[in-house]
Amino acid sequence: MEKTTLQVAGMTCGHCEKAVKGALTPIDGVKEVTVSLQDGTVDVEFESSKASLVQLKEAVEDQGYDVK
């Protein structure tokens, strides 16, 4: 199991939180997603054998947010 923290720009409200969680949660191998609007971060726990960091970043970017 691997954990990573994504720096996400542009999240400002509950809708943003739901959009990001909704994009990451269905990815095979993702076990937990925690969004912090205040910090602009998303903590993701995932199985690196099933999901990649690139895949996680793309899912968030597809929702219209910038991942740093």
Side-chain angles (χ1 to χ4, degrees):
M1 199 64 66
E2 190 173 330
K3 290 183 180 183
T4 191
T5 300
L6 304 175
Q7 296 290 327
V8 181
M11 296 188 304
T12 59
C13 63
H15 173 75
C16 298
E17 180 179 354
K18 287 180 183 179
V20 171
K21 270 188 162 182
L24 292 170
T25 303
I27 296 173
D28 189 34
V30 171
K31 297 298 176 196
E32 187 173 341
V33 177
T34 306
V35 177
S36 173
L37 294 175
Q38 184 176 5
D39 297 333
T41 60
V42 180
D43 295 324
V44 185
E45 185 175 343
F46 66 101
E47 292 180 45
S48 56
S49 62
K50 293 183 178 181
S52 69
L53 188 55
V54 170
Q55 191 178 15
L56 300 177
K57 287 181 179 181
E58 286 177 353
V60 174
E61 288 171 346
D62 286 347
Q63 296 301 309
Y65 303 99
D66 291 322
V67 179
K68 299 176 182 178

Short mmCIF file of all heavy atoms in Angstrom, two decimals:
data_model
loop_
_atom_site.label_atom_id
_atom_site.label_comp_id
_atom_site.label_asym_id
_atom_site.label_seq_id
_atom_site.Cartn_x
_atom_site.Cartn_y
_atom_site.Cartn_z
N MET A 1 0.84 -1.17 0.00
CA MET A 1 0.00 0.00 0.00
C MET A 1 0.89 1.24 0.00
O MET A 1 1.86 1.30 0.75
CB MET A 1 -0.90 -0.02 1.23
CG MET A 1 -2.10 0.85 1.14
SD MET A 1 -3.31 0.44 -0.13
CE MET A 1 -3.92 -1.12 0.43
N GLU A 2 0.55 2.19 -0.81
CA GLU A 2 1.33 3.42 -0.93
C GLU A 2 0.44 4.61 -0.59
O GLU A 2 -0.76 4.58 -0.82
CB GLU A 2 1.85 3.55 -2.36
CG GLU A 2 2.87 4.65 -2.55
CD GLU A 2 3.49 4.63 -3.94
OE1 GLU A 2 3.59 3.55 -4.54
OE2 GLU A 2 3.85 5.71 -4.41
N LYS A 3 1.06 5.64 -0.04
CA LYS A 3 0.33 6.87 0.27
C LYS A 3 1.04 8.02 -0.43
O LYS A 3 2.26 8.08 -0.48
CB LYS A 3 0.31 7.14 1.77
CG LYS A 3 -0.55 6.19 2.55
CD LYS A 3 -0.59 6.56 4.02
CE LYS A 3 -1.45 5.59 4.79
NZ LYS A 3 -1.56 5.95 6.21
N THR A 4 0.24 8.94 -0.97
CA THR A 4 0.80 10.14 -1.59
C THR A 4 -0.09 11.32 -1.28
O THR A 4 -1.28 11.15 -0.99
CB THR A 4 0.95 9.96 -3.12
OG1 THR A 4 1.72 11.04 -3.65
CG2 THR A 4 -0.40 9.89 -3.81
N THR A 5 0.49 12.50 -1.33
CA THR A 5 -0.25 13.74 -1.15
C THR A 5 -0.11 14.57 -2.41
O THR A 5 1.01 14.88 -2.83
CB THR A 5 0.26 14.54 0.07
OG1 THR A 5 0.11 13.74 1.24
CG2 THR A 5 -0.53 15.84 0.23
N LEU A 6 -1.24 14.87 -3.03
CA LEU A 6 -1.25 15.69 -4.22
C LEU A 6 -1.55 17.13 -3.83
O LEU A 6 -2.46 17.38 -3.03
CB LEU A 6 -2.33 15.21 -5.20
CG LEU A 6 -2.28 13.75 -5.64
CD1 LEU A 6 -3.50 13.43 -6.49
CD2 LEU A 6 -1.01 13.47 -6.41
N GLN A 7 -0.79 18.07 -4.38
CA GLN A 7 -1.07 19.49 -4.19
C GLN A 7 -2.02 19.89 -5.32
O GLN A 7 -1.65 19.81 -6.49
CB GLN A 7 0.23 20.31 -4.28
CG GLN A 7 1.23 20.00 -3.19
CD GLN A 7 0.77 20.48 -1.83
OE1 GLN A 7 0.09 21.50 -1.70
NE2 GLN A 7 1.13 19.74 -0.80
N VAL A 8 -3.23 20.30 -4.96
CA VAL A 8 -4.25 20.59 -5.97
C VAL A 8 -4.69 22.05 -5.86
O VAL A 8 -5.17 22.49 -4.81
CB VAL A 8 -5.47 19.66 -5.80
CG1 VAL A 8 -6.51 19.95 -6.88
CG2 VAL A 8 -5.03 18.19 -5.88
N ALA A 9 -4.52 22.78 -6.95
CA ALA A 9 -4.91 24.19 -6.98
C ALA A 9 -6.32 24.33 -7.53
O ALA A 9 -6.71 23.61 -8.44
CB ALA A 9 -3.95 24.99 -7.86
N GLY A 10 -7.09 25.24 -6.93
CA GLY A 10 -8.41 25.55 -7.45
C GLY A 10 -9.57 24.96 -6.68
O GLY A 10 -10.73 25.23 -7.00
N MET A 11 -9.31 24.16 -5.65
CA MET A 11 -10.41 23.61 -4.85
C MET A 11 -10.86 24.66 -3.84
O MET A 11 -10.05 25.15 -3.06
CB MET A 11 -9.96 22.35 -4.11
CG MET A 11 -9.56 21.20 -4.98
SD MET A 11 -9.26 19.68 -4.04
CE MET A 11 -8.01 20.19 -2.86
N THR A 12 -12.15 24.99 -3.86
CA THR A 12 -12.64 26.05 -2.98
C THR A 12 -13.89 25.71 -2.18
O THR A 12 -14.24 26.46 -1.26
CB THR A 12 -12.94 27.32 -3.80
OG1 THR A 12 -13.92 26.99 -4.79
CG2 THR A 12 -11.69 27.86 -4.47
N CYS A 13 -14.58 24.62 -2.53
CA CYS A 13 -15.87 24.37 -1.88
C CYS A 13 -16.16 22.87 -1.79
O CYS A 13 -15.39 22.04 -2.25
CB CYS A 13 -16.98 25.05 -2.67
SG CYS A 13 -17.16 24.41 -4.34
N GLY A 14 -17.31 22.56 -1.21
CA GLY A 14 -17.72 21.17 -1.06
C GLY A 14 -17.89 20.46 -2.39
O GLY A 14 -17.63 19.27 -2.50
N HIS A 15 -18.35 21.20 -3.40
CA HIS A 15 -18.49 20.60 -4.73
C HIS A 15 -17.13 20.16 -5.26
O HIS A 15 -17.00 19.09 -5.86
CB HIS A 15 -19.14 21.58 -5.71
CG HIS A 15 -19.16 21.08 -7.11
ND1 HIS A 15 -20.02 20.10 -7.53
CD2 HIS A 15 -18.39 21.38 -8.17
CE1 HIS A 15 -19.79 19.83 -8.80
NE2 HIS A 15 -18.80 20.60 -9.22
N CYS A 16 -16.12 20.98 -5.04
CA CYS A 16 -14.76 20.65 -5.48
C CYS A 16 -14.29 19.36 -4.80
O CYS A 16 -13.72 18.48 -5.43
CB CYS A 16 -13.79 21.78 -5.13
SG CYS A 16 -14.14 23.35 -5.93
N GLU A 17 -14.54 19.28 -3.50
CA GLU A 17 -14.15 18.10 -2.73
C GLU A 17 -14.82 16.85 -3.30
O GLU A 17 -14.18 15.82 -3.51
CB GLU A 17 -14.53 18.29 -1.26
CG GLU A 17 -14.16 17.11 -0.39
CD GLU A 17 -14.52 17.34 1.07
OE1 GLU A 17 -14.96 18.44 1.43
OE2 GLU A 17 -14.37 16.38 1.85
N LYS A 18 -16.13 16.94 -3.56
CA LYS A 18 -16.87 15.80 -4.10
C LYS A 18 -16.37 15.42 -5.49
O LYS A 18 -16.28 14.24 -5.82
CB LYS A 18 -18.37 16.11 -4.14
CG LYS A 18 -19.02 16.10 -2.79
CD LYS A 18 -20.50 16.40 -2.90
CE LYS A 18 -21.14 16.46 -1.52
NZ LYS A 18 -22.55 16.77 -1.58
N ALA A 19 -16.04 16.42 -6.31
CA ALA A 19 -15.57 16.15 -7.67
C ALA A 19 -14.24 15.39 -7.64
O ALA A 19 -14.06 14.41 -8.38
CB ALA A 19 -15.43 17.45 -8.44
N VAL A 20 -13.34 15.83 -6.78
CA VAL A 20 -12.02 15.18 -6.69
C VAL A 20 -12.15 13.78 -6.11
O VAL A 20 -11.60 12.82 -6.64
CB VAL A 20 -11.05 16.06 -5.87
CG1 VAL A 20 -9.76 15.30 -5.58
CG2 VAL A 20 -10.75 17.35 -6.62
N LYS A 21 -12.91 13.65 -5.03
CA LYS A 21 -13.13 12.32 -4.44
C LYS A 21 -13.81 11.39 -5.44
O LYS A 21 -13.44 10.22 -5.57
CB LYS A 21 -13.99 12.42 -3.17
CG LYS A 21 -13.23 12.62 -1.92
CD LYS A 21 -14.17 12.50 -0.73
CE LYS A 21 -13.36 12.26 0.51
NZ LYS A 21 -14.17 12.07 1.71
N GLY A 22 -14.80 11.93 -6.14
CA GLY A 22 -15.54 11.13 -7.11
C GLY A 22 -14.69 10.68 -8.28
O GLY A 22 -14.96 9.65 -8.89
N ALA A 23 -13.66 11.45 -8.61
CA ALA A 23 -12.77 11.08 -9.70
C ALA A 23 -11.76 10.02 -9.28
O ALA A 23 -11.38 9.15 -10.06
CB ALA A 23 -12.02 12.31 -10.21
N LEU A 24 -11.33 10.07 -8.02
CA LEU A 24 -10.28 9.15 -7.55
C LEU A 24 -10.81 7.83 -6.99
O LEU A 24 -10.21 6.78 -7.20
CB LEU A 24 -9.43 9.85 -6.48
CG LEU A 24 -8.57 11.01 -6.97
CD1 LEU A 24 -7.98 11.76 -5.79
CD2 LEU A 24 -7.48 10.50 -7.89
N THR A 25 -11.92 7.89 -6.27
CA THR A 25 -12.43 6.71 -5.58
C THR A 25 -12.70 5.51 -6.50
O THR A 25 -12.37 4.38 -6.13
CB THR A 25 -13.69 7.07 -4.78
OG1 THR A 25 -13.35 8.13 -3.87
CG2 THR A 25 -14.21 5.89 -3.98
N PRO A 26 -13.25 5.70 -7.71
CA PRO A 26 -13.53 4.54 -8.57
C PRO A 26 -12.30 3.88 -9.20
O PRO A 26 -12.41 2.80 -9.76
CB PRO A 26 -14.43 5.10 -9.67
CG PRO A 26 -14.78 6.48 -9.29
CD PRO A 26 -13.80 6.92 -8.28
N ILE A 27 -11.15 4.52 -9.12
CA ILE A 27 -9.94 3.95 -9.73
C ILE A 27 -9.57 2.67 -9.00
O ILE A 27 -9.47 2.64 -7.77
CB ILE A 27 -8.77 4.96 -9.70
CG1 ILE A 27 -9.11 6.19 -10.55
CG2 ILE A 27 -7.48 4.30 -10.19
CD1 ILE A 27 -8.09 7.30 -10.45
N ASP A 28 -9.37 1.62 -9.77
CA ASP A 28 -9.00 0.32 -9.20
C ASP A 28 -7.70 0.46 -8.42
O ASP A 28 -6.72 0.98 -8.92
CB ASP A 28 -8.84 -0.72 -10.31
CG ASP A 28 -8.66 -2.12 -9.76
OD1 ASP A 28 -9.25 -2.44 -8.70
OD2 ASP A 28 -7.92 -2.91 -10.39
N GLY A 29 -7.72 0.04 -7.17
CA GLY A 29 -6.54 0.10 -6.32
C GLY A 29 -6.57 1.23 -5.31
O GLY A 29 -5.81 1.23 -4.35
N VAL A 30 -7.44 2.23 -5.51
CA VAL A 30 -7.54 3.34 -4.56
C VAL A 30 -8.35 2.88 -3.36
O VAL A 30 -9.48 2.41 -3.50
CB VAL A 30 -8.18 4.59 -5.22
CG1 VAL A 30 -8.48 5.66 -4.17
CG2 VAL A 30 -7.28 5.14 -6.30
N LYS A 31 -7.76 3.03 -2.18
CA LYS A 31 -8.41 2.56 -0.95
C LYS A 31 -9.02 3.70 -0.15
O LYS A 31 -10.05 3.54 0.48
CB LYS A 31 -7.41 1.80 -0.07
CG LYS A 31 -6.88 0.55 -0.72
CD LYS A 31 -7.99 -0.43 -1.00
CE LYS A 31 -7.48 -1.66 -1.73
NZ LYS A 31 -8.54 -2.44 -2.34
N GLU A 32 -8.35 4.87 -0.12
CA GLU A 32 -8.86 5.98 0.69
C GLU A 32 -8.45 7.31 0.05
O GLU A 32 -7.33 7.45 -0.43
CB GLU A 32 -8.31 5.89 2.11
CG GLU A 32 -8.91 6.90 3.05
CD GLU A 32 -8.48 6.69 4.50
OE1 GLU A 32 -8.01 5.59 4.84
OE2 GLU A 32 -8.61 7.65 5.26
N VAL A 33 -9.36 8.27 0.10
CA VAL A 33 -9.11 9.61 -0.42
C VAL A 33 -9.55 10.61 0.65
O VAL A 33 -10.69 10.57 1.12
CB VAL A 33 -9.90 9.88 -1.73
CG1 VAL A 33 -9.67 11.30 -2.20
CG2 VAL A 33 -9.53 8.88 -2.81
N THR A 34 -8.64 11.51 1.03
CA THR A 34 -8.96 12.55 2.01
C THR A 34 -8.60 13.90 1.40
O THR A 34 -7.45 14.14 1.05
CB THR A 34 -8.15 12.34 3.32
OG1 THR A 34 -8.38 11.02 3.79
CG2 THR A 34 -8.58 13.35 4.37
N VAL A 35 -9.60 14.77 1.28
CA VAL A 35 -9.42 16.08 0.67
C VAL A 35 -9.38 17.14 1.76
O VAL A 35 -10.23 17.16 2.64
CB VAL A 35 -10.57 16.40 -0.31
CG1 VAL A 35 -10.40 17.79 -0.90
CG2 VAL A 35 -10.63 15.36 -1.42
N SER A 36 -8.38 18.03 1.69
CA SER A 36 -8.30 19.18 2.60
C SER A 36 -8.40 20.45 1.75
O SER A 36 -7.44 20.83 1.08
CB SER A 36 -6.99 19.18 3.38
OG SER A 36 -6.88 20.39 4.11
N LEU A 37 -9.58 21.08 1.78
CA LEU A 37 -9.77 22.31 1.03
C LEU A 37 -8.86 23.41 1.57
O LEU A 37 -8.29 24.19 0.80
CB LEU A 37 -11.22 22.77 1.10
CG LEU A 37 -12.26 21.87 0.42
CD1 LEU A 37 -13.66 22.40 0.68
CD2 LEU A 37 -11.99 21.75 -1.06
N GLN A 38 -8.73 23.48 2.88
CA GLN A 38 -7.93 24.52 3.51
C GLN A 38 -6.46 24.44 3.08
O GLN A 38 -5.84 25.46 2.81
CB GLN A 38 -8.03 24.39 5.03
CG GLN A 38 -7.31 25.50 5.77
CD GLN A 38 -7.52 25.39 7.28
OE1 GLN A 38 -8.12 24.44 7.77
NE2 GLN A 38 -7.02 26.36 8.01
N ASP A 39 -5.92 23.23 3.01
CA ASP A 39 -4.51 23.06 2.66
C ASP A 39 -4.30 22.90 1.15
O ASP A 39 -3.16 22.96 0.68
CB ASP A 39 -3.94 21.82 3.36
CG ASP A 39 -3.95 21.96 4.88
OD1 ASP A 39 -3.89 23.11 5.38
OD2 ASP A 39 -4.02 20.93 5.57
N GLY A 40 -5.37 22.65 0.41
CA GLY A 40 -5.24 22.41 -1.03
C GLY A 40 -4.54 21.11 -1.33
O GLY A 40 -3.78 21.01 -2.30
N THR A 41 -4.81 20.11 -0.49
CA THR A 41 -4.16 18.82 -0.67
C THR A 41 -5.17 17.69 -0.75
O THR A 41 -6.29 17.80 -0.26
CB THR A 41 -3.19 18.51 0.49
OG1 THR A 41 -3.92 18.49 1.72
CG2 THR A 41 -2.07 19.52 0.56
N VAL A 42 -4.72 16.61 -1.38
CA VAL A 42 -5.52 15.38 -1.44
C VAL A 42 -4.59 14.23 -1.06
O VAL A 42 -3.58 13.99 -1.74
CB VAL A 42 -6.09 15.15 -2.86
CG1 VAL A 42 -6.91 13.86 -2.88
CG2 VAL A 42 -6.94 16.33 -3.30
N ASP A 43 -4.91 13.55 0.02
CA ASP A 43 -4.15 12.38 0.44
C ASP A 43 -4.81 11.15 -0.15
O ASP A 43 -6.03 10.97 -0.01
CB ASP A 43 -4.12 12.26 1.97
CG ASP A 43 -3.39 13.42 2.63
OD1 ASP A 43 -2.39 13.88 2.06
OD2 ASP A 43 -3.82 13.85 3.72
N VAL A 44 -4.01 10.33 -0.82
CA VAL A 44 -4.54 9.14 -1.47
C VAL A 44 -3.75 7.92 -1.01
O VAL A 44 -2.52 7.91 -1.05
CB VAL A 44 -4.44 9.24 -3.02
CG1 VAL A 44 -5.11 8.04 -3.66
CG2 VAL A 44 -5.06 10.54 -3.51
N GLU A 45 -4.48 6.90 -0.56
CA GLU A 45 -3.87 5.61 -0.22
C GLU A 45 -4.28 4.65 -1.33
O GLU A 45 -5.47 4.51 -1.63
CB GLU A 45 -4.37 5.12 1.13
CG GLU A 45 -3.68 3.86 1.59
CD GLU A 45 -4.10 3.45 3.00
OE1 GLU A 45 -4.66 4.28 3.74
OE2 GLU A 45 -3.88 2.28 3.34
N PHE A 46 -3.28 4.02 -1.96
CA PHE A 46 -3.58 3.17 -3.11
C PHE A 46 -2.57 2.05 -3.25
O PHE A 46 -1.48 2.09 -2.68
CB PHE A 46 -3.61 4.02 -4.39
CG PHE A 46 -2.28 4.63 -4.77
CD1 PHE A 46 -1.50 4.06 -5.77
CD2 PHE A 46 -1.81 5.76 -4.14
CE1 PHE A 46 -0.29 4.62 -6.13
CE2 PHE A 46 -0.60 6.33 -4.49
CZ PHE A 46 0.17 5.76 -5.49
N GLU A 47 -2.96 1.04 -4.02
CA GLU A 47 -2.07 -0.07 -4.33
C GLU A 47 -1.33 0.28 -5.61
O GLU A 47 -1.94 0.38 -6.68
CB GLU A 47 -2.88 -1.36 -4.53
CG GLU A 47 -3.52 -1.87 -3.26
CD GLU A 47 -4.30 -3.16 -3.52
OE1 GLU A 47 -3.77 -4.05 -4.21
OE2 GLU A 47 -5.44 -3.25 -3.03
N SER A 48 -0.02 0.44 -5.51
CA SER A 48 0.76 0.86 -6.67
C SER A 48 0.82 -0.21 -7.76
O SER A 48 1.16 0.09 -8.90
CB SER A 48 2.18 1.27 -6.25
OG SER A 48 2.82 0.22 -5.57
N SER A 49 0.43 -1.42 -7.43
CA SER A 49 0.40 -2.47 -8.45
C SER A 49 -0.84 -2.36 -9.35
O SER A 49 -0.89 -2.94 -10.42
CB SER A 49 0.43 -3.86 -7.80
OG SER A 49 -0.72 -4.03 -6.98
N LYS A 50 -1.83 -1.58 -8.89
CA LYS A 50 -3.08 -1.42 -9.65
C LYS A 50 -3.27 0.00 -10.19
O LYS A 50 -3.90 0.19 -11.22
CB LYS A 50 -4.28 -1.80 -8.78
CG LYS A 50 -4.32 -3.26 -8.41
CD LYS A 50 -5.57 -3.57 -7.62
CE LYS A 50 -5.65 -5.04 -7.28
NZ LYS A 50 -6.87 -5.35 -6.53
N ALA A 51 -2.80 1.00 -9.46
CA ALA A 51 -2.99 2.40 -9.85
C ALA A 51 -1.64 3.11 -9.83
O ALA A 51 -0.80 2.82 -8.98
CB ALA A 51 -3.96 3.09 -8.90
N SER A 52 -1.46 4.05 -10.75
CA SER A 52 -0.20 4.79 -10.79
C SER A 52 -0.43 6.23 -10.37
O SER A 52 -1.55 6.75 -10.44
CB SER A 52 0.39 4.76 -12.20
OG SER A 52 -0.41 5.54 -13.07
N LEU A 53 0.65 6.89 -9.98
CA LEU A 53 0.58 8.29 -9.60
C LEU A 53 0.12 9.14 -10.78
O LEU A 53 -0.68 10.06 -10.62
CB LEU A 53 1.95 8.76 -9.10
CG LEU A 53 2.03 10.14 -8.48
CD1 LEU A 53 1.02 10.31 -7.35
CD2 LEU A 53 3.44 10.41 -7.99
N VAL A 54 0.58 8.80 -11.97
CA VAL A 54 0.16 9.51 -13.19
C VAL A 54 -1.35 9.39 -13.38
O VAL A 54 -2.02 10.36 -13.70
CB VAL A 54 0.92 8.96 -14.42
CG1 VAL A 54 0.34 9.52 -15.70
CG2 VAL A 54 2.40 9.28 -14.32
N GLN A 55 -1.87 8.20 -13.17
CA GLN A 55 -3.31 7.96 -13.31
C GLN A 55 -4.10 8.80 -12.31
O GLN A 55 -5.15 9.37 -12.65
CB GLN A 55 -3.57 6.46 -13.08
CG GLN A 55 -4.94 5.98 -13.42
CD GLN A 55 -5.07 4.47 -13.21
OE1 GLN A 55 -4.24 3.85 -12.56
NE2 GLN A 55 -6.11 3.91 -13.77
N LEU A 56 -3.61 8.91 -11.08
CA LEU A 56 -4.28 9.70 -10.06
C LEU A 56 -4.29 11.18 -10.44
O LEU A 56 -5.32 11.85 -10.35
CB LEU A 56 -3.60 9.51 -8.70
CG LEU A 56 -3.54 8.09 -8.14
CD1 LEU A 56 -2.76 8.07 -6.83
CD2 LEU A 56 -4.92 7.49 -7.96
N LYS A 57 -3.13 11.68 -10.87
CA LYS A 57 -3.03 13.09 -11.26
C LYS A 57 -3.95 13.39 -12.44
O LYS A 57 -4.63 14.42 -12.46
CB LYS A 57 -1.58 13.43 -11.63
CG LYS A 57 -0.67 13.51 -10.44
CD LYS A 57 0.74 13.87 -10.88
CE LYS A 57 1.68 13.97 -9.69
NZ LYS A 57 3.05 14.33 -10.12
N GLU A 58 -3.98 12.51 -13.43
CA GLU A 58 -4.82 12.73 -14.61
C GLU A 58 -6.30 12.76 -14.23
O GLU A 58 -7.07 13.55 -14.78
CB GLU A 58 -4.56 11.65 -15.66
CG GLU A 58 -3.24 11.84 -16.38
CD GLU A 58 -2.95 10.73 -17.38
OE1 GLU A 58 -3.70 9.72 -17.44
OE2 GLU A 58 -1.96 10.88 -18.12
N ALA A 59 -6.71 11.92 -13.29
CA ALA A 59 -8.11 11.89 -12.87
C ALA A 59 -8.51 13.22 -12.25
O ALA A 59 -9.62 13.73 -12.51
CB ALA A 59 -8.34 10.74 -11.88
N VAL A 60 -7.63 13.82 -11.46
CA VAL A 60 -7.92 15.11 -10.83
C VAL A 60 -7.89 16.22 -11.89
O VAL A 60 -8.77 17.08 -11.92
CB VAL A 60 -6.92 15.41 -9.68
CG1 VAL A 60 -7.14 16.81 -9.13
CG2 VAL A 60 -7.07 14.37 -8.58
N GLU A 61 -6.91 16.17 -12.76
CA GLU A 61 -6.81 17.20 -13.81
C GLU A 61 -8.01 17.15 -14.76
O GLU A 61 -8.45 18.18 -15.25
CB GLU A 61 -5.50 17.03 -14.57
CG GLU A 61 -4.30 17.45 -13.74
CD GLU A 61 -2.96 17.11 -14.36
OE1 GLU A 61 -2.91 16.31 -15.33
OE2 GLU A 61 -1.94 17.64 -13.86
N ASP A 62 -8.55 15.96 -14.98
CA ASP A 62 -9.74 15.82 -15.84
C ASP A 62 -10.95 16.52 -15.23
O ASP A 62 -11.92 16.82 -15.95
CB ASP A 62 -10.06 14.35 -16.09
CG ASP A 62 -9.11 13.69 -17.07
OD1 ASP A 62 -8.34 14.43 -17.74
OD2 ASP A 62 -9.13 12.45 -17.17
N GLN A 63 -10.92 16.79 -13.94
CA GLN A 63 -12.00 17.51 -13.27
C GLN A 63 -11.80 19.03 -13.34
O GLN A 63 -12.61 19.79 -12.84
CB GLN A 63 -12.13 17.07 -11.82
CG GLN A 63 -12.52 15.62 -11.63
CD GLN A 63 -13.85 15.30 -12.28
OE1 GLN A 63 -14.84 15.98 -12.07
NE2 GLN A 63 -13.87 14.27 -13.12
N GLY A 64 -10.69 19.45 -13.93
CA GLY A 64 -10.44 20.88 -14.12
C GLY A 64 -9.52 21.52 -13.10
O GLY A 64 -9.43 22.74 -13.02
N TYR A 65 -8.82 20.72 -12.32
CA TYR A 65 -7.91 21.25 -11.31
C TYR A 65 -6.47 21.03 -11.72
O TYR A 65 -6.15 20.11 -12.47
CB TYR A 65 -8.18 20.56 -9.95
CG TYR A 65 -9.59 20.72 -9.50
CD1 TYR A 65 -10.52 19.69 -9.69
CD2 TYR A 65 -10.04 21.90 -8.94
CE1 TYR A 65 -11.85 19.85 -9.32
CE2 TYR A 65 -11.36 22.07 -8.57
CZ TYR A 65 -12.26 21.04 -8.75
OH TYR A 65 -13.57 21.21 -8.39
N ASP A 66 -5.59 21.89 -11.20
CA ASP A 66 -4.17 21.77 -11.49
C ASP A 66 -3.50 20.99 -10.36
O ASP A 66 -3.65 21.34 -9.18
CB ASP A 66 -3.51 23.14 -11.59
CG ASP A 66 -3.97 23.91 -12.82
OD1 ASP A 66 -4.16 23.27 -13.87
OD2 ASP A 66 -4.15 25.14 -12.72
N VAL A 67 -2.76 19.95 -10.72
CA VAL A 67 -2.01 19.16 -9.76
C VAL A 67 -0.55 19.54 -9.87
O VAL A 67 0.02 19.51 -10.94
CB VAL A 67 -2.20 17.64 -10.00
CG1 VAL A 67 -1.39 16.85 -8.98
CG2 VAL A 67 -3.66 17.27 -9.95
N LYS A 68 0.04 19.90 -8.73
CA LYS A 68 1.45 20.32 -8.73
C LYS A 68 2.32 19.21 -8.22
O LYS A 68 1.92 18.38 -7.47
CB LYS A 68 1.63 21.56 -7.88
CG LYS A 68 0.81 22.71 -8.41
CD LYS A 68 0.94 23.89 -7.51
CE LYS A 68 0.07 25.02 -8.03
NZ LYS A 68 0.07 26.19 -7.23
#
